[in-house]
PDB file of all heavy atoms in Angstrom:
ATOM      1  N   ARG A  19    -140.004  92.041-115.221  1.00 76.00           N
ATOM      2  CA  ARG A  19    -140.499  92.714-116.321  1.00 76.00           C
ATOM      3  C   ARG A  19    -140.457  94.159-116.001  1.00 76.00           C
ATOM      4  O   ARG A  19    -140.438  94.551-114.844  1.00 76.00           O
ATOM      5  CB  ARG A  19    -142.005  92.231-116.741  1.00 76.00           C
ATOM      6  CG  ARG A  19    -143.012  92.574-115.672  1.00 76.00           C
ATOM      7  CD  ARG A  19    -144.398  92.079-116.185  1.00 76.00           C
ATOM      8  NE  ARG A  19    -145.361  92.385-115.121  1.00 76.00           N
ATOM      9  CZ  ARG A  19    -146.078  93.487-114.974  1.00 76.00           C
ATOM     10  NH1 ARG A  19    -145.790  94.488-115.882  1.00 76.00           N
ATOM     11  NH2 ARG A  19    -147.067  93.537-114.083  1.00 76.00           N
ATOM     12  N   GLN A  27    -142.022 111.603-111.864  1.00 88.00           N
ATOM     13  CA  GLN A  27    -141.868 110.758-110.704  1.00 88.00           C
ATOM     14  C   GLN A  27    -142.229 111.454-109.407  1.00 88.00           C
ATOM     15  O   GLN A  27    -141.382 111.882-108.593  1.00 88.00           O
ATOM     16  CB  GLN A  27    -140.291 110.439-110.620  1.00 88.00           C
ATOM     17  CG  GLN A  27    -139.826 109.438-111.643  1.00 88.00           C
ATOM     18  CD  GLN A  27    -140.201 108.013-111.344  1.00 88.00           C
ATOM     19  OE1 GLN A  27    -140.047 107.516-110.298  1.00 88.00           O
ATOM     20  NE2 GLN A  27    -140.639 107.336-112.362  1.00 88.00           N
ATOM     21  N   LEU A  40    -146.817 106.068-105.137  1.00 97.00           N
ATOM     22  CA  LEU A  40    -145.468 105.396-105.496  1.00 97.00           C
ATOM     23  C   LEU A  40    -144.635 105.406-104.234  1.00 97.00           C
ATOM     24  O   LEU A  40    -144.315 106.349-103.608  1.00 97.00           O
ATOM     25  CB  LEU A  40    -144.782 106.360-106.565  1.00 97.00           C
ATOM     26  CG  LEU A  40    -143.467 105.879-107.097  1.00 97.00           C
ATOM     27  CD1 LEU A  40    -143.596 104.636-107.690  1.00 97.00           C
ATOM     28  CD2 LEU A  40    -142.972 106.970-108.055  1.00 97.00           C
ATOM     29  N   ASP A  51    -139.318 116.533-110.678  1.00 94.00           N
ATOM     30  CA  ASP A  51    -140.289 117.271-111.396  1.00 94.00           C
ATOM     31  C   ASP A  51    -140.553 118.662-110.940  1.00 94.00           C
ATOM     32  O   ASP A  51    -141.538 119.271-111.240  1.00 94.00           O
ATOM     33  CB  ASP A  51    -141.711 116.421-111.419  1.00 94.00           C
ATOM     34  CG  ASP A  51    -142.177 116.223-110.048  1.00 94.00           C
ATOM     35  OD1 ASP A  51    -141.412 116.291-109.025  1.00 94.00           O
ATOM     36  OD2 ASP A  51    -143.407 116.067-109.915  1.00 94.00           O
ATOM     37  N   LEU A 101    -117.321 114.925-112.210  1.00 98.00           N
ATOM     38  CA  LEU A 101    -118.556 114.310-112.588  1.00 98.00           C
ATOM     39  C   LEU A 101    -118.247 113.074-113.504  1.00 98.00           C
ATOM     40  O   LEU A 101    -117.380 112.965-114.272  1.00 98.00           O
ATOM     41  CB  LEU A 101    -119.312 115.319-113.644  1.00 98.00           C
ATOM     42  CG  LEU A 101    -119.900 116.443-112.858  1.00 98.00           C
ATOM     43  CD1 LEU A 101    -120.570 117.409-113.902  1.00 98.00           C
ATOM     44  CD2 LEU A 101    -120.944 116.089-111.841  1.00 98.00           C
ATOM     45  N   HIS A 130    -123.425  97.934-102.896  1.00 93.00           N
ATOM     46  CA  HIS A 130    -124.043  98.031-104.238  1.00 93.00           C
ATOM     47  C   HIS A 130    -123.353  97.181-105.284  1.00 93.00           C
ATOM     48  O   HIS A 130    -122.205  97.017-105.312  1.00 93.00           O
ATOM     49  CB  HIS A 130    -124.164  99.468-104.627  1.00 93.00           C
ATOM     50  CG  HIS A 130    -124.967  99.734-105.824  1.00 93.00           C
ATOM     51  ND1 HIS A 130    -124.488  99.671-107.106  1.00 93.00           N
ATOM     52  CD2 HIS A 130    -126.255 100.223-105.858  1.00 93.00           C
ATOM     53  CE1 HIS A 130    -125.399 100.036-107.951  1.00 93.00           C
ATOM     54  NE2 HIS A 130    -126.503 100.368-107.222  1.00 93.00           N
ATOM     55  N   GLY A 166    -103.370  95.944 -97.809  1.00 78.00           N
ATOM     56  CA  GLY A 166    -104.618  96.556 -97.958  1.00 78.00           C
ATOM     57  C   GLY A 166    -104.514  97.844 -98.824  1.00 78.00           C
ATOM     58  O   GLY A 166    -103.498  98.632 -98.735  1.00 78.00           O
ATOM     59  N   TYR A 194    -104.532 100.954 -90.030  1.00 95.00           N
ATOM     60  CA  TYR A 194    -103.872 100.082 -90.997  1.00 95.00           C
ATOM     61  C   TYR A 194    -103.378 100.730 -92.244  1.00 95.00           C
ATOM     62  O   TYR A 194    -102.809 100.131 -93.118  1.00 95.00           O
ATOM     63  CB  TYR A 194    -104.772  98.907 -91.345  1.00 95.00           C
ATOM     64  CG  TYR A 194    -104.978  97.979 -90.211  1.00 95.00           C
ATOM     65  CD1 TYR A 194    -106.190  98.040 -89.362  1.00 95.00           C
ATOM     66  CD2 TYR A 194    -104.106  96.935 -89.968  1.00 95.00           C
ATOM     67  CE1 TYR A 194    -106.313  97.143 -88.237  1.00 95.00           C
ATOM     68  CE2 TYR A 194    -104.239  96.173 -88.903  1.00 95.00           C
ATOM     69  CZ  TYR A 194    -105.338  96.297 -88.043  1.00 95.00           C
ATOM     70  OH  TYR A 194    -105.467  95.341 -87.045  1.00 95.00           O
ATOM     71  N   ARG A 197    -106.921 103.401 -97.685  1.00 97.00           N
ATOM     72  CA  ARG A 197    -107.772 104.435 -98.132  1.00 97.00           C
ATOM     73  C   ARG A 197    -109.265 103.999 -97.821  1.00 97.00           C
ATOM     74  O   ARG A 197    -109.566 102.821 -97.641  1.00 97.00           O
ATOM     75  CB  ARG A 197    -107.675 104.748 -99.614  1.00 97.00           C
ATOM     76  CG  ARG A 197    -106.281 105.364 -99.945  1.00 97.00           C
ATOM     77  CD  ARG A 197    -106.334 105.850-101.363  1.00 97.00           C
ATOM     78  NE  ARG A 197    -105.156 106.510-101.665  1.00 97.00           N
ATOM     79  CZ  ARG A 197    -104.041 106.015-102.233  1.00 97.00           C
ATOM     80  NH1 ARG A 197    -103.979 104.680-102.462  1.00 97.00           N
ATOM     81  NH2 ARG A 197    -102.974 106.695-102.543  1.00 97.00           N
ATOM     82  N   ALA A 301    -142.854 104.053 -87.963  1.00 98.00           N
ATOM     83  CA  ALA A 301    -143.636 103.873 -86.783  1.00 98.00           C
ATOM     84  C   ALA A 301    -144.926 103.106 -87.057  1.00 98.00           C
ATOM     85  O   ALA A 301    -145.387 102.253 -86.323  1.00 98.00           O
ATOM     86  CB  ALA A 301    -143.923 105.182 -86.075  1.00 98.00           C
ATOM     87  N   SER A 314    -133.151 103.130 -90.437  1.00 95.00           N
ATOM     88  CA  SER A 314    -133.333 104.362 -89.734  1.00 95.00           C
ATOM     89  C   SER A 314    -133.428 105.504 -90.750  1.00 95.00           C
ATOM     90  O   SER A 314    -133.203 106.607 -90.368  1.00 95.00           O
ATOM     91  CB  SER A 314    -132.035 104.599 -88.783  1.00 95.00           C
ATOM     92  OG  SER A 314    -130.897 104.570 -89.603  1.00 95.00           O
ATOM     93  N   VAL A 329    -143.692  88.720-104.289  1.00 94.00           N
ATOM     94  CA  VAL A 329    -144.429  89.126-105.510  1.00 94.00           C
ATOM     95  C   VAL A 329    -145.921  89.194-105.249  1.00 94.00           C
ATOM     96  O   VAL A 329    -146.628  90.132-105.830  1.00 94.00           O
ATOM     97  CB  VAL A 329    -144.036  88.202-106.739  1.00 94.00           C
ATOM     98  CG1 VAL A 329    -144.955  88.525-107.932  1.00 94.00           C
ATOM     99  CG2 VAL A 329    -142.570  88.335-107.063  1.00 94.00           C
ATOM    100  N   ARG A 338    -154.587  97.492-104.535  1.00 97.00           N
ATOM    101  CA  ARG A 338    -155.203  98.447-103.466  1.00 97.00           C
ATOM    102  C   ARG A 338    -154.654  99.788-103.758  1.00 97.00           C
ATOM    103  O   ARG A 338    -154.915 100.757-102.943  1.00 97.00           O
ATOM    104  CB  ARG A 338    -154.936  97.948-102.144  1.00 97.00           C
ATOM    105  CG  ARG A 338    -155.660  96.699-101.712  1.00 97.00           C
ATOM    106  CD  ARG A 338    -155.107  96.030-100.529  1.00 97.00           C
ATOM    107  NE  ARG A 338    -155.970  95.038 -99.896  1.00 97.00           N
ATOM    108  CZ  ARG A 338    -155.944  93.715-100.255  1.00 97.00           C
ATOM    109  NH1 ARG A 338    -155.094  93.331-101.304  1.00 97.00           N
ATOM    110  NH2 ARG A 338    -156.793  92.825 -99.684  1.00 97.00           N
ATOM    111  N   HIS A 423    -126.304  81.422-109.839  1.00 29.00           N
ATOM    112  CA  HIS A 423    -127.323  82.596-109.829  1.00 29.00           C
ATOM    113  C   HIS A 423    -126.879  83.476-110.942  1.00 29.00           C
ATOM    114  O   HIS A 423    -127.274  84.735-110.939  1.00 29.00           O
ATOM    115  CB  HIS A 423    -127.287  83.343-108.584  1.00 29.00           C
ATOM    116  CG  HIS A 423    -127.803  82.533-107.441  1.00 29.00           C
ATOM    117  ND1 HIS A 423    -129.158  82.245-107.220  1.00 29.00           N
ATOM    118  CD2 HIS A 423    -127.179  81.921-106.403  1.00 29.00           C
ATOM    119  CE1 HIS A 423    -129.274  81.513-106.148  1.00 29.00           C
ATOM    120  NE2 HIS A 423    -128.075  81.267-105.697  1.00 29.00           N
ATOM    121  N   ASP A 429    -132.085  96.211-111.669  1.00 38.00           N
ATOM    122  CA  ASP A 429    -132.193  97.538-111.042  1.00 38.00           C
ATOM    123  C   ASP A 429    -130.871  98.017-110.702  1.00 38.00           C
ATOM    124  O   ASP A 429    -130.258  97.363-109.784  1.00 38.00           O
ATOM    125  CB  ASP A 429    -133.210  97.539-109.945  1.00 38.00           C
ATOM    126  CG  ASP A 429    -133.452  98.971-109.389  1.00 38.00           C
ATOM    127  OD1 ASP A 429    -132.589  99.874-109.718  1.00 38.00           O
ATOM    128  OD2 ASP A 429    -134.480  99.115-108.706  1.00 38.00           O
ATOM    129  N   PHE A 439    -120.134  86.890-105.335  1.00 33.00           N
ATOM    130  CA  PHE A 439    -119.060  87.782-105.292  1.00 33.00           C
ATOM    131  C   PHE A 439    -117.952  87.187-106.003  1.00 33.00           C
ATOM    132  O   PHE A 439    -117.625  86.000-105.946  1.00 33.00           O
ATOM    133  CB  PHE A 439    -118.746  88.294-103.987  1.00 33.00           C
ATOM    134  CG  PHE A 439    -118.162  89.601-103.886  1.00 33.00           C
ATOM    135  CD1 PHE A 439    -118.949  90.778-104.076  1.00 33.00           C
ATOM    136  CD2 PHE A 439    -116.694  89.815-103.798  1.00 33.00           C
ATOM    137  CE1 PHE A 439    -118.405  92.034-103.964  1.00 33.00           C
ATOM    138  CE2 PHE A 439    -116.277  91.120-103.777  1.00 33.00           C
ATOM    139  CZ  PHE A 439    -117.058  92.151-103.887  1.00 33.00           C
ATOM    140  N   MET A 447    -106.216  83.476-106.821  1.00 34.00           N
ATOM    141  CA  MET A 447    -105.303  83.514-105.592  1.00 34.00           C
ATOM    142  C   MET A 447    -106.116  83.381-104.377  1.00 34.00           C
ATOM    143  O   MET A 447    -107.295  83.648-104.326  1.00 34.00           O
ATOM    144  CB  MET A 447    -104.512  84.780-105.638  1.00 34.00           C
ATOM    145  CG  MET A 447    -105.292  86.080-105.935  1.00 34.00           C
ATOM    146  SD  MET A 447    -104.216  87.579-106.015  1.00 34.00           S
ATOM    147  CE  MET A 447    -103.913  87.615-107.722  1.00 34.00           C
ATOM    148  N   PHE A 450    -104.849  85.802 -97.503  1.00 36.00           N
ATOM    149  CA  PHE A 450    -104.881  85.621 -95.957  1.00 36.00           C
ATOM    150  C   PHE A 450    -104.610  84.298 -95.602  1.00 36.00           C
ATOM    151  O   PHE A 450    -104.554  83.273 -96.280  1.00 36.00           O
ATOM    152  CB  PHE A 450    -106.241  86.201 -95.368  1.00 36.00           C
ATOM    153  CG  PHE A 450    -106.651  87.457 -96.032  1.00 36.00           C
ATOM    154  CD1 PHE A 450    -107.969  87.765 -96.289  1.00 36.00           C
ATOM    155  CD2 PHE A 450    -105.740  88.441 -96.284  1.00 36.00           C
ATOM    156  CE1 PHE A 450    -108.345  88.906 -96.867  1.00 36.00           C
ATOM    157  CE2 PHE A 450    -106.141  89.586 -96.864  1.00 36.00           C
ATOM    158  CZ  PHE A 450    -107.410  89.860 -97.029  1.00 36.00           C
TER     159      PHE A 450
END
Side-chain angles (χ1 to χ4, degrees):
R19 65 181 180 87
Q27 291 278 314
L40 184 60
D51 60 338
L101 291 177
H130 189 276
Y194 289 96
R197 293 187 175 92
S314 59
V329 173
R338 292 167 167 82
H423 298 282
D429 185 343
F439 207 80
M447 46 184 94
F450 314 141

